[in-house]
Amino acid sequence: MSLQYALELFGTFFFAISGALAIQEKDRDHDWFGAGFTGFVTAIGGGSLRDMILGSYPLVWVGDINFIYSIIIGVIVAIVFYKYIVGLRRTFILFDTLGIAFFTVLGVEKSLKLGFRPEVAAIMGMFSAVMGGVIRDTLTNETPVIFRKEIYATACLGGAICYLLLDFGTSLDRNVNLLVAAGLIIVIRLVAVKFKLSLPALRR
Amino acid sequence: MSLQYALELFGTFFFAISGALAIQEKDRDHDWFGAGFTGFVTAIGGGSLRDMILGSYPLVWVGDINFIYSIIIGVIVAIVFYKYIVGLRRTFILFDTLGIAFFTVLGVEKSLKLGFRPEVAAIMGMFSAVMGGVIRDTLTNETPVIFRKEIYATACLGGAICYLLLDFGTSLDRNVNLLVAAGLIIVIRLVAVKFKLSLPALRR
Amino acid sequence: MSLQYALELFGTFFFAISGALAIQEKDRDHDWFGAGFTGFVTAIGGGSLRDMILGSYPLVWVGDINFIYSIIIGVIVAIVFYKYIVGLRRTFILFDTLGIAFFTVLGVEKSLKLGFRPEVAAIMGMFSAVMGGVIRDTLTNETPVIFRKEIYATACLGGAICYLLLDFGTSLDRNVNLLVAAGLIIVIRLVAVKFKLSLPALRR
């Protein structure tokens, strides 16, 4: 099992947990199906949209049943350990940050491997990471995560560009590029949350 | 004309009516175009998403013009008989229930016929049935139907699993499996509405 | 460079500006990333959805990098000239009207060229024009543009049908058809805005 495959399954598992929990912030008495559905959509949304845009079939989770089981386990973990997990806002942010970091670099790698240009790969890396959460937030009538205050999708875009620079500009091993770029996303995101950093606003 | 094809056209027709009427619950002075658009999106949304996820082209309504005409007739019926239909909440729920029952089993069948695994087929069956309504509700800023109180998508998932058990576990005729599974969805849904049944909620 | 290609790049540029500005109406202190994201989604959403529905790969902006650069330039123009542009409500409507007019006729042409039926081509022309804005409005929790009062998507549908009548009923040059149909959309839309025209509502 390659590093890439392991990260992808772990990212899916983390996203399913964060998706299953996310709706609880808004609507306390949501049912199990709702938790499962938002967990599923959060976990597969970004990668599915990427693959449907790129025309890469079968979609990852359709072709490899392990992804569906990662999601089911993640949702069960979220439901069973709900009262332990839900108070841990920091744990939640950490899971989500690991998820977006892995998904961004894997999305960039997949796009390049399919022969697309680096500009497209950067956008697709970011989409892989953030669009699952955007779809989840849209369905639950929340303001999508990418429009909220702290730096989020911009960290993914930064990590994607970092990966592309390492890939085209150096001769380092792919796994090194992958870990450096993912690490950059994690650092940017956690520093942004810690110090409440946001991008400049448009003002008149 | 096969039973499957007839059910698919009828399901499309019912979904177009329910979609055209749905927006009226919220916004009384919606215009004809809005009714047509939500009718169209409700009728084709679930099946289109299923086919785009599975990479099955052309999409049903793109390849067979009868579906577009079923929708147009459904929308016209909804507009012309608006004042007669809109008061009939039970009729509306019945149309919607027939629609989700037929679409679920047809979605499972199509996924299996395309060679996908039963786990994927079950999810795609449910998606075919409920995602049209989810897209409609998202566009009109309603809480999506699947997150509301009474059992809805779970009934579809139950019917999809019933179909798969009959298909893999018995040697009954396909049409029998189809009608038993659709019947189960209709019974679960109508009993849930009647007795206001819902799944257990996540609580601390 | 053909007329069609030039119009498509210009339409993309105008849509990116209108998308980057649109969110400002609601949420004054939106950040640069949000402006870029809504600009991007507005510009590519309609055409991408059309191509994903028709199974036409690669999507326009994925296969031709000029579209990404048109969007980036549009977003930068919107950010830099923000305080000059945002007060000009009429300019904004004009840009948006040019965008929907060009995208409708180009969407019809592309669908016909891919061999789809005129009914499908008319719907896809309208989708190309309006769905970018619909996705933008859904993400930002606005009422989608097509459900608002004045005639909007109906103008696109009218222009699409006009193009089809000219194409199948006359032997005029393609570029003439294109400009007449786009002109019709522009006239209908501007007259509707000027005189606050809307379609009849559904009433009991």
Side-chain angles (χ1 to χ4, degrees):
Chain A
M1 191 163 80
S2 71
L3 174 65
Q4 176 173 336
Y5 188 66
L7 290 182
E8 211 160 352
L9 282 180
F10 265 100
T12 302
F13 172 75
F14 287 140
F15 265 177
I17 294 178
S18 92
L21 295 179
I23 198 169
Q24 300 307 318
E25 296 175 21
K26 190 179 191 187
D27 184 355
R28 279 285 148 70
D29 59 352
H30 219 79
D31 67 25
W32 294 358
F33 177 82
F37 191 86
T38 51
F40 182 77
V41 164
T42 308
I44 62 112
S48 297
L49 187 63
R50 175 198 64 210
D51 290 350
M52 288 161 73
I53 287 175
L54 298 180
S56 164
Y57 288 99
L59 305 195
V60 172
W61 65 272
V62 172
D64 179 351
I65 211 76
N66 287 340
F67 286 90
I68 293 183
Y69 288 118
S70 294
I71 293 169
I72 292 175
I73 295 170
V75 170
I76 291 173
V77 166
I79 292 175
V80 171
F81 297 103
Y82 176 54
K83 57 182 166 188
Y84 303 100
I85 299 175
V86 80
L88 310 170
R89 188 170 169 265
R90 287 190 188 173
T91 311
F92 179 84
I93 288 177
L94 191 65
F95 282 178
D96 191 68
T97 302
L98 293 173
I100 60 171
F102 297 156
F103 272 46
T104 299
V105 289
L106 297 173
V108 174
E109 283 200 331
K110 180 161 190 180
S111 306
L112 292 178
K113 204 182 293 171
L114 290 169
F116 293 100
R117 288 184 58 133
E119 293 93 334
V120 172
I123 296 171
M124 288 298 104
M126 184 191 67
F127 265 42
S128 311
V130 306
M131 293 308 280
V134 168
I135 296 169
R136 174 198 66 208
D137 293 338
T138 303
L139 292 180
T140 58
N141 293 322
E142 301 252 2
T143 302
V145 66
I146 51 165
F147 295 137
R148 291 177 213 161
K149 281 282 171 316
E150 289 135 4
I151 287 169
Y152 188 85
T154 320
C156 299
L157 207 52
I161 293 169
C162 168
Y163 181 93
L164 291 166
L165 292 176
L166 291 174
D167 191 48
F168 287 95
T170 72
S171 53
L172 293 170
D173 184 67
R174 256 184 72 246
N175 284 342
V176 174
N177 299 349
L178 191 154
L179 291 173
V180 170
L184 180 68
I185 295 171
I186 293 169
V187 169
I188 295 176
R189 174 68 182 145
L190 294 183
V191 168
V193 169
K194 175 86 179 166
F195 297 102
K196 298 189 194 304
L197 299 181
S198 54
L199 291 175
L202 293 187
R203 285 183 199 283
R204 284 164 198 266
Chain B
M1 192 163 79
S2 70
L3 174 65
Q4 176 172 335
Y5 188 66
L7 290 182
E8 210 160 354
L9 282 180
F10 266 100
T12 302
F13 172 75
F14 287 141
F15 265 176
I17 293 178
S18 93
L21 295 178
I23 200 169
Q24 300 306 318
E25 297 176 20
K26 192 181 192 186
D27 183 358
R28 282 284 149 70
D29 59 351
H30 219 78
D31 67 25
W32 294 358
F33 178 82
F37 190 86
T38 51
F40 182 77
V41 163
T42 308
I44 62 115
S48 296
L49 187 64
R50 175 198 65 211
D51 289 350
M52 288 161 72
I53 286 176
L54 298 180
S56 164
Y57 288 98
L59 305 194
V60 173
W61 65 272
V62 172
D64 180 350
I65 210 75
N66 287 341
F67 286 89
I68 293 182
Y69 288 118
S70 294
I71 294 169
I72 292 174
I73 295 169
V75 169
I76 291 173
V77 165
I79 292 175
V80 171
F81 297 103
Y82 176 55
K83 57 183 167 187
Y84 304 99
I85 300 176
V86 80
L88 310 170
R89 187 169 170 267
R90 288 190 187 173
T91 312
F92 179 83
I93 288 177
L94 191 66
F95 281 178
D96 191 67
T97 301
L98 293 173
I100 60 172
F102 297 156
F103 272 46
T104 299
V105 288
L106 297 173
V108 173
E109 284 201 329
K110 179 162 188 179
S111 305
L112 292 177
K113 205 182 293 171
L114 290 169
F116 293 100
R117 289 184 56 134
E119 293 94 333
V120 172
I123 296 172
M124 287 298 103
M126 183 192 67
F127 264 42
S128 311
V130 305
M131 293 307 281
V134 168
I135 297 169
R136 173 198 68 207
D137 292 339
T138 302
L139 292 180
T140 57
N141 293 322
E142 301 253 2
T143 301
V145 68
I146 50 166
F147 296 138
R148 291 177 213 161
K149 281 282 170 321
E150 289 135 5
I151 287 170
Y152 188 84
T154 320
C156 299
L157 206 52
I161 292 170
C162 168
Y163 181 93
L164 291 166
L165 291 176
L166 291 174
D167 192 48
F168 288 96
T170 72
S171 52
L172 294 169
D173 184 67
R174 255 185 73 244
N175 284 342
V176 175
N177 299 349
L178 192 154
L179 290 173
V180 170
L184 179 68
I185 295 170
I186 293 169
V187 169
I188 295 177
R189 174 67 183 147
L190 294 183
V191 168
V193 169
K194 175 87 178 163
F195 297 101
K196 298 191 193 303
L197 299 181
S198 54
L199 292 176
L202 293 187
R203 284 184 200 282
R204 286 163 198 265
Chain C
M1 192 161 79
S2 69
L3 175 64
Q4 175 173 337
Y5 189 66
L7 291 182
E8 210 160 353
L9 282 180
F10 265 102
T12 303
F13 172 76
F14 287 140
F15 265 176
I17 293 178
S18 92
L21 295 179
I23 199 169
Q24 301 306 319
E25 296 175 20
K26 190 180 192 188
D27 182 358
R28 281 284 148 70
D29 58 352
H30 219 79
D31 68 24
W32 293 358
F33 177 82
F37 191 86
T38 51
F40 182 77
V41 164
T42 308
I44 62 115
S48 296
L49 187 63
R50 175 198 65 210
D51 289 350
M52 289 161 72
I53 287 175
L54 299 179
S56 164
Y57 287 99
L59 306 194
V60 172
W61 64 273
V62 171
D64 180 350
I65 211 75
N66 287 340
F67 286 89
I68 293 183
Y69 288 118
S70 294
I71 294 169
I72 292 175
I73 295 170
V75 169
I76 291 174
V77 165
I79 292 175
V80 171
F81 297 103
Y82 176 54
K83 57 183 167 188
Y84 303 99
I85 299 175
V86 81
L88 309 171
R89 187 169 171 268
R90 287 190 187 173
T91 311
F92 178 84
I93 288 176
L94 190 65
F95 282 179
D96 191 67
T97 301
L98 293 173
I100 60 171
F102 297 157
F103 272 46
T104 299
V105 288
L106 297 174
V108 174
E109 284 201 329
K110 179 161 189 179
S111 305
L112 292 178
K113 205 182 293 171
L114 289 169
F116 293 100
R117 288 183 58 133
E119 293 94 333
V120 172
I123 296 172
M124 288 298 103
M126 184 192 67
F127 264 42
S128 312
V130 306
M131 292 307 281
V134 168
I135 297 170
R136 174 198 67 208
D137 293 339
T138 303
L139 293 180
T140 57
N141 294 322
E142 301 253 1
T143 301
V145 67
I146 50 166
F147 295 138
R148 289 179 213 159
K149 282 282 172 314
E150 288 135 5
I151 286 170
Y152 188 84
T154 320
C156 299
L157 207 51
I161 292 169
C162 168
Y163 181 92
L164 291 166
L165 292 176
L166 291 174
D167 192 47
F168 288 96
T170 73
S171 54
L172 293 169
D173 184 66
R174 256 183 73 247
N175 284 342
V176 174
N177 299 349
L178 191 154
L179 290 173
V180 171
L184 179 68
I185 296 170
I186 293 170
V187 169
I188 295 176
R189 174 68 182 146
L190 294 182
V191 168
V193 169
K194 176 84 178 167
F195 298 102
K196 299 190 194 304
L197 300 181
S198 53
L199 292 176
L202 294 187
R203 287 183 199 282
R204 286 163 196 265

